[in-house]
């Protein structure tokens, strides 16, 4: 299967209600803003999003969240997104909190065809023993909790069995791409984009720059993982927290 160069609207047109979508980015760094905006306009609902976090209030995934489009979020933290916290505590959305490194490996394993793996992260906590809130009731009480996970000792240390994550679609953002769909990310904007790209059955990449070719040593995501490619048109790049000092 090759990579189709298309528009953002066309790239996400067939994402249905109830789809599971892996999204790259950390906060709003490395986030595919235009693909998320196109998905908002397209109208798909009842979505299960897998991402490090759910954007920030009013930006990126935060827009889908505010529009009531998300049913479940698998992430590593809620962050400073007040609307996300409100929806979780009000029982409006299901939450699957996963340690950050475990989340990255669950996505990578899904893309590599590995069904599950053992990790020491979370052993001896609610991550392994169960009891993490999955959904709250409208009155703020816990309505549903996680089940215990299988554990096993390796070299005298307990490990937790974690299942891989696969998604119907993946939305990622790259700094450069060629027409074969090979992607190069820039600095910390790489973050969750490579494992998210691997985990999607259909991966849609938004690139800042379309180039004739990439040095093979500079390819971070091979084009074999990318089915659709769009070129970003948005001129600005939002910054989550601007920190400055006097000269």
């Amino acid at each position: 299967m090759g990579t189709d160069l298309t528009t953002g609207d066309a790239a996400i047109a067939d994402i249905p209600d109830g789809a599971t979508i892996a999204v790259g980015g950390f906060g709003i760094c490395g986030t595919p803003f235009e693909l998320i905006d196109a998905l908002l306009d397209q109208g798909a609902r009842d979505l299960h999003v897998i991402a490090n976090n759910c954007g920030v209030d009013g930006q990126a995934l935060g827009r889908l969240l505010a529009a009531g489009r998300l049913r479940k979020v698998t992430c590593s933290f809620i962050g400073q997104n007040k609307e996300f916290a409100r929806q979780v505590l009000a029982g409006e959305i299901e939450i699957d909190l996963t340690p950050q490194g475990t989340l990255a490996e669950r996505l990578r394993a899904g893309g590599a065809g590995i069904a599950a793996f053992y990790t020491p992260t979370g052993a001896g906590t609610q991550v392994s023993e169960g009891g993490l809130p999955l959904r709250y009731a409208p009155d703020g009480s816990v309505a549903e909790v996680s089940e215990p996970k299988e554990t096993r000792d390796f070299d005298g240390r307990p490990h937790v069995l974690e299942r891989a994550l696969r998604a119907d679609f993946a939305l990622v953002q790259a700094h450069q791409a060629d027409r074969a769909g090979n992607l190069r990310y820039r600095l910390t904007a790489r973050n969750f984009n490579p494992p998210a790209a691997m985990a999607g059955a259909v991966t849609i990449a938004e690139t800042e720059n379309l180039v004739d070719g990439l040095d093979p040593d500079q390819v971070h995501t091979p084009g074999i993982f990318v089915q659709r490619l769009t070129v970003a048109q948005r001129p600005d790049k939002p910054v989550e927290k601007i920190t400055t000092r006097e000269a």
Side-chain angles (χ1 to χ4, degrees):
M1 181 183 297
T3 301
D4 294 329
L5 181 62
T6 184
T7 65
D9 290 341
I12 57 81
D14 61 344
I15 296 180
D17 293 349
T20 297
I21 306 175
V23 183
F26 186 102
I28 57 174
C29 177
T31 297
F33 284 98
E34 293 185 21
L35 291 176
I36 292 172
D37 287 347
L39 184 57
L40 180 67
D41 293 339
Q42 185 253 39
R45 312 184 66 84
D46 199 34
L47 301 172
H48 173 195
V49 163
I50 304 169
N52 179 65
N53 58 292
C54 207
V56 299
D57 288 300
Q59 295 201 62
L61 287 172
R63 298 191 68 202
L64 284 173
L65 184 74
R69 301 287 184 79
L70 307 186
R71 169 182 56 85
K72 178 179 179 180
V73 178
T74 298
C75 63
S76 71
F77 74 108
I78 293 178
Q80 297 181 336
N81 190 319
K82 295 179 181 178
E83 176 60 17
F84 191 16
R86 187 199 68 77
Q87 288 191 24
V88 168
L89 295 175
E92 297 175 9
I93 194 169
E94 185 178 345
I95 183 77
D96 177 19
L97 283 173
T98 302
Q100 196 166 81
T102 301
L103 177 62
E105 181 60 13
R106 289 179 71 189
L107 287 165
R108 192 205 67 82
I114 298 170
F117 59 91
Y118 285 99
T119 174
T121 303
T125 73
Q126 287 181 313
V127 170
S128 63
E129 296 174 357
L132 279 176
L134 297 176
R135 182 179 292 278
Y136 287 83
D139 64 2
S141 61
V142 176
E144 184 180 357
V145 299
S146 63
E147 296 291 330
K149 296 176 181 177
E150 179 183 335
T151 59
R152 181 177 172 182
D153 280 1
F154 291 91
D155 300 321
R157 188 178 183 186
H159 288 65
V160 185
L161 183 67
E162 293 282 1
R163 295 182 62 87
L165 287 169
R166 290 286 294 166
D168 302 313
F169 294 86
L171 308 181
V172 300
Q173 194 263 3
H175 178 59
Q176 291 179 325
D178 62 22
R179 292 180 181 274
N182 298 304
L183 307 179
R184 176 179 177 270
Y185 310 103
R186 185 172 185 271
L187 303 176
T188 57
R190 186 188 308 194
N191 52 63
F192 276 80
N193 280 294
M198 293 178 67
V202 175
T203 293
I204 308 169
E206 170 188 308
T207 183
E208 295 177 10
N209 303 282
L210 184 65
V211 298
D212 292 333
L214 288 172
D215 182 329
D217 285 338
Q218 295 296 311
V219 173
H220 300 141
T221 293
I224 191 67
F225 289 110
V226 181
Q227 283 71 50
R228 302 172 192 171
L229 179 65
T230 71
V231 179
Q233 304 299 314
R234 182 172 174 168
D236 65 315
K237 183 177 290 187
V239 177
E240 185 173 350
K241 288 187 177 183
I242 298 177
T243 303
T244 60
R245 63 178 175 83
E246 295 182 3

